Amino acid sequence: MSDLFRSEHDGALGNEAEGFLLWQARVTEAEQRARDFTLAMDWLTTSQRADVEQRYTAESLRRARTDIERIAARCLSLRAEYENRYQMLRRRCVAWALALSVGITAVCEILTFL
């Protein structure tokens, strides 16, 4: 039981680490895009350039967060949908198996009495 808990815990920790690394990559990408964006604006002062880069980065990360939250919500809804579908199919399979075994048992009983 503790091995099961430990593997679930390690999986969650791995997911958190992966999420953190992916977000850091997104931050780095947004910062690079902001630098590229302001590169052509040679008339900006250093403080103006820093301000534009910061705002660009913040807006990019806000959009990225919104996209990630939308994707996560969709994943959760798909998971619930698939779990419901799986439960329905499992019930149907069990019902068919029971019906088939009852039918076979009935046929065997009938043949036994003949």
Side-chain angles (χ1 to χ4, degrees), residues 19-103:
F20 175 77
L21 292 173
L22 288 171
W23 183 253
Q24 289 303 342
R26 182 70 71 165
V27 169
T28 302
E29 179 185 341
E31 289 171 345
Q32 182 60 47
R33 284 185 177 181
R35 280 191 295 276
D36 293 344
F37 179 72
T38 59
L39 189 63
M41 300 177 194
D42 53 356
W43 64 87
L44 294 174
T45 65
T46 304
S47 64
Q48 289 173 331
R49 184 178 307 278
D51 186 45
V52 170
E53 286 179 7
Q54 180 207 9
R55 289 174 188 245
Y56 187 98
T57 301
E59 180 61 23
S60 293
L61 293 177
R62 185 194 62 75
R63 279 186 273 127
R65 182 178 182 95
T66 302
D67 291 344
I68 290 170
E69 288 172 348
R70 183 176 39 82
I71 290 167
R74 180 65 178 145
C75 287
L76 289 175
S77 71
L78 283 175
R79 180 178 182 164
E81 184 179 329
Y82 287 141
E83 285 177 351
N84 289 337
R85 180 74 175 157
Y86 173 76
Q87 292 295 328
M88 184 181 69
L89 290 173
R90 190 168 77 173
R91 282 192 298 270
R92 188 182 302 167
C93 183
V94 168
W96 275 104
L98 286 174
L100 186 61
S101 56
V102 165

Side-chain angles (χ1 to χ4, degrees), residues 97-113:
L98 286 174
L100 186 61
S101 56
V102 165
I104 290 173
T105 303
V107 168
C108 288
E109 289 294 322
I110 291 172
L111 291 176
T112 303
F113 290 121

Side-chain angles (χ1 to χ4, degrees), residues 6-27:
R6 190 175 306 130
S7 66
E8 289 175 6
H9 180 67
D10 291 344
L13 183 61
N15 288 339
E16 286 182 31
E18 182 180 11
F20 175 77
L21 292 173
L22 288 171
W23 183 253
Q24 289 303 342
R26 182 70 71 165
V27 169

